Amino acid sequence: MQPDPRQIFDGIAFSRQTGVIAAVSGGGDSLALLLLLKEFLDLQAGAPALTAVTVDHVLRAEAAEEARFVAALCASRGIAHRTMVWRGEKPATGISAAARSARLSLLAQAAREAGAGLVFTGHTRDDQAETVSMRAGRGTGLGGAGIAPASLYEGAIWFVRPLLSHGRADLRSYLASRDVRWIDDPTNDDTTYERVRVRRSLTAEMAARRIAEAETAAAARIALGARAARLIDGHARCVAPGLYRVDPAFVENADAEAALYALRVLTAMAGGALHLPSEEPSARVLAGLRAGVCATLSRAVIDRRASGIYLHRERRNLPTGTGAMGEGLWDRRYRLSAPEGMHIAPFGAAAHDLLLEANPTLPQDLLFAAQFAEPALWRGDVCIGPARTAAPGSGIGVPAPWAHLLPSFDIDVAQALIRLVGGKTVLKLP
């Protein structure tokens, strides 16, 4: 059954966009995505401008020619096109992960320059089955939900995957019916890649089972996030910059699964971790808190006192303050920029003289410890003051662990973190 562009794209908030990006490699999936999107937008009044973007990783000699192929096809159909090139040295190991990261960054750059808030990618039902199979083999827990329908990149640009309900065969049938040829990437037949090996091992029955598992896991993940969000809203408060207090009743909550998940989320946020801590060490910490034991997890100190459970960033492995910093994600916690002639570094010992919160009801050692790790503006060796204003939440968009990439599965619990830190961002699905 051939895909219907109205069913695929109806419900996406195109009216909020002046431009949209389609990521197009020249393969069958991405070319089908581009042409389906073009068909849909051509039927819409006041539709945003469409730009196709091809990323050349400079890893294969054929890549530049493939980009020219996409550019020629786009020109023949009146679609704007640009090629983004991954320049610079390539890592000796982990090249696949580095290439994925570079591709996201380059597509986001193209989106920003085009004034686009949406980037569409051609991930398919087959990709979903393969991804879930690979993650099942690694035992990745919440990753069993598979590929998210959308992910928010650096709190600003949505990467949308509208073809997750469609198979490769149907998409290629659609292209063939329009006499459009596509390029088959030779790496898709290279069994040195895990995905290729998994693809070849999946029968139709196995793939259907994996898709069903992903749908069940995604629903469970969304529900768990909503329960954790309610716990965070009800029990956690930001009591000073970088210092969070959690009601002791939190650790005794009857919904033990949600309490454990909320603890993992809170520690990752307070510590600026890239990922949630694993379940097993987190469960040990939660059990220890019930017994009054303090702990460190995901770069966050968890300190139980008579007045509550406090979380703050630990003092070690903080960013150095060498050189000027442009706008960026500092310590994976705050999006900041330094004025000319200044740099950003932790308060450190200067927190003794520049405490932001004079609050006698809070433990003073915790106030100092939290501010020690907060960002400050420095001119040379002189601490000028906070790098973000004293208003709670300034300098924060989407907190860790989702500051870089937020899957749509986790939008409820991420919004709870934004409320916790006093941020103004309101997350809306595309």
Side-chain angles (χ1 to χ4, degrees), residues 61-153:
E62 307 90 341
E65 180 57 35
E66 291 165 1
R68 287 191 287 271
F69 164 79
V70 177
L73 183 143
C74 288
S76 71
R77 293 171 180 266
I79 302 171
H81 176 269
R82 66 179 300 191
T83 299
M84 305 292 288
V85 180
W86 184 22
R87 304 190 186 280
E89 293 291 326
K90 307 298 188 289
T93 60
I95 188 66
S96 294
R100 283 193 298 271
S101 178
R103 182 162 59 250
L104 283 174
S105 177
L106 289 167
L107 289 168
Q109 178 186 336
R112 285 190 293 268
E113 292 172 357
L118 298 178
V119 176
F120 290 92
T121 66
H123 294 83
T124 66
R125 184 174 62 222
D126 302 79
D127 293 313
Q128 184 73 288
E130 293 158 11
T131 297
V132 175
S133 294
M134 289 189 293
R135 291 180 181 176
R138 300 172 195 150
T140 52
L142 292 170
I147 303 170
S151 296
L152 184 63
Y153 183 81

Side-chain angles (χ1 to χ4, degrees), residues 356-380:
L356 300 179
E357 294 286 332
N359 191 331
T361 67
L362 294 173
Q364 296 302 293
D365 61 326
L366 289 178
L367 277 173
F368 169 73
Q371 185 156 327
F372 185 100
E374 284 290 280
L377 285 175
W378 292 76
R379 183 179 289 113

Side-chain angles (χ1 to χ4, degrees), residues 76-427:
S76 71
R77 293 171 180 266
I79 302 171
H81 176 269
R82 66 179 300 191
T83 299
M84 305 292 288
V85 180
W86 184 22
R87 304 190 186 280
E89 293 291 326
K90 307 298 188 289
T93 60
I95 188 66
S96 294
R100 283 193 298 271
S101 178
R103 182 162 59 250
L104 283 174
S105 177
L106 289 167
L107 289 168
Q109 178 186 336
R112 285 190 293 268
E113 292 172 357
L118 298 178
V119 176
F120 290 92
T121 66
H123 294 83
T124 66
R125 184 174 62 222
D126 302 79
D127 293 313
Q128 184 73 288
E130 293 158 11
T131 297
V132 175
S133 294
M134 289 189 293
R135 291 180 181 176
R138 300 172 195 150
T140 52
L142 292 170
I147 303 170
S151 296
L152 184 63
Y153 183 81
E154 295 191 345
I157 296 168
W158 281 104
F159 280 72
V160 186
R161 307 171 185 101
L163 300 183
L164 287 175
S165 297
H166 297 271
R168 292 190 188 110
D170 290 340
L171 296 173
R172 281 156 176 73
S173 174
Y174 164 81
L175 291 176
S177 71
R178 284 151 177 80
D179 197 27
V180 175
R181 71 178 185 91
W182 60 90
I183 297 169
D184 287 316
D185 185 338
T187 61
N188 289 331
D189 293 318
D190 187 346
T191 54
T192 60
Y193 292 96
E194 178 189 13
R195 182 173 293 275
V196 176
R197 296 194 300 273
V198 169
R199 180 179 303 151
R200 291 188 173 185
S201 70
L202 277 175
T203 64
E205 181 181 355
M206 292 167 60
R209 188 166 63 248
R210 289 302 191 195
I211 294 295
E213 290 170 359
E215 291 172 350
T216 300
R221 178 164 164 178
I222 291 167
L224 179 60
R227 286 151 49 203
R230 289 193 291 272
L231 283 179
I232 291 169
D233 284 337
H235 294 283
R237 296 290 180 271
C238 179
V239 293
L243 183 63
Y244 306 91
R245 179 168 59 197
V246 179
D247 190 312
F250 169 91
V251 299
E252 304 296 342
N253 194 275
D255 189 347
E257 183 185 29
L260 176 59
Y261 186 44
L263 176 67
R264 296 168 66 198
V265 168
L266 287 169
T267 53
M269 180 274 298
L274 281 174
H275 306 287
L276 295 180
S278 300
E279 286 191 20
E280 188 175 333
S282 302
R284 290 196 297 269
V285 168
L286 184 60
L289 287 172
R290 291 180 181 132
V293 177
C294 302
T296 301
L297 186 67
S298 282
R299 309 199 313 175
V301 174
I302 312 166
D303 195 334
R304 180 151 193 174
R305 303 286 177 96
S307 55
I309 299 167
Y310 294 87
L311 292 87
H312 60 83
R313 170 73 160 90
E314 66 179 349
R315 298 186 195 182
R316 64 191 181 93
N317 297 325
L318 289 161
T320 61
T322 57
M325 169 189 167
E327 184 176 352
L329 187 63
W330 187 85
D331 196 37
R332 306 175 196 156
R333 292 185 291 153
Y334 304 121
R335 293 198 178 278
L336 304 170
S337 59
E340 187 175 354
M342 298 186 189
H343 65 271
I344 298 172
F347 273 96
H352 275 304
D353 303 317
L354 295 167
L355 274 177
L356 300 179
E357 294 286 332
N359 191 331
T361 67
L362 294 173
Q364 296 302 293
D365 61 326
L366 289 178
L367 277 173
F368 169 73
Q371 185 156 327
F372 185 100
E374 284 290 280
L377 285 175
W378 292 76
R379 183 179 289 113
D381 295 330
V382 179
C383 182
I384 307 301
R388 61 190 188 99
T389 67
S394 60
I396 300 175
V398 179
W402 297 300
H404 178 60
L405 200 64
L406 168 66
S408 53
F409 301 135
D410 304 313
I411 194 169
D412 285 342
V413 68
Q415 191 69 67
L417 293 186
I418 292 170
R419 289 191 291 269
L420 173 62
V421 301
K424 306 302 181 186
T425 303
V426 176
L427 299 175

